[in-house]
Amino acid sequence: MRTLIVYDETGYIIYQASGDVREPVGIPFLWVDVPEGKQITGVDVTVTPNAAILEDIPKNETQLLKEQVDSLTIAMAEMMGV
């Protein structure tokens, strides 16, 4: 998803929006394509051109529990010789 990021000179994100938004004038901003499963955590201002810092979105409790159930199901099937 294409996202507009407005940030300060330290890389702190002041504003971010997607969709049909107006580009700011006179303040730093980036347009970033954020891949599925990633989130923007800041802007690296030590490189030129500045770049968004992307990280994996942490798994929520439901996803963690589903993975645990899946692994327990596999372990139980192996113990039963299925």
Side-chain angles (χ1 to χ4, degrees), residues 4-17:
L4 174 73
I5 304 171
V6 178
Y7 57 97
D8 66 12
E9 61 187 30
T10 68
Y12 178 78
I13 296 173
I14 297 167
Y15 174 76
Q16 71 182 33

Side-chain angles (χ1 to χ4, degrees), residues 15-41:
Y15 174 76
Q16 71 182 33
S18 299
D20 187 25
V21 293
R22 183 180 166 274
E23 289 184 356
V25 176
I27 54 177
F29 71 93
L30 290 173
W31 280 104
V32 178
D33 287 318
V34 182
E36 185 91 17
K38 297 282 188 177
Q39 65 184 2
I40 303 166
T41 58

Side-chain angles (χ1 to χ4, degrees), residues 7-12 43-51 53:
Y7 57 97
D8 66 12
E9 61 187 30
T10 68
Y12 178 78
V43 177
D44 185 354
V45 293
T46 63
V47 297
T48 303
N50 296 339
I53 301 168

Side-chain angles (χ1 to χ4, degrees), residues 50-77:
N50 296 339
I53 301 168
L54 301 174
E55 292 181 358
D56 291 332
I57 295 174
K59 294 178 181 175
N60 63 33
E61 188 175 354
T62 303
Q63 291 169 319
L64 294 172
L65 290 171
K66 182 182 179 328
E67 287 177 3
Q68 187 177 16
V69 167
D70 290 346
S71 47
L72 289 171
T73 302
I74 291 168
M76 194 167 64

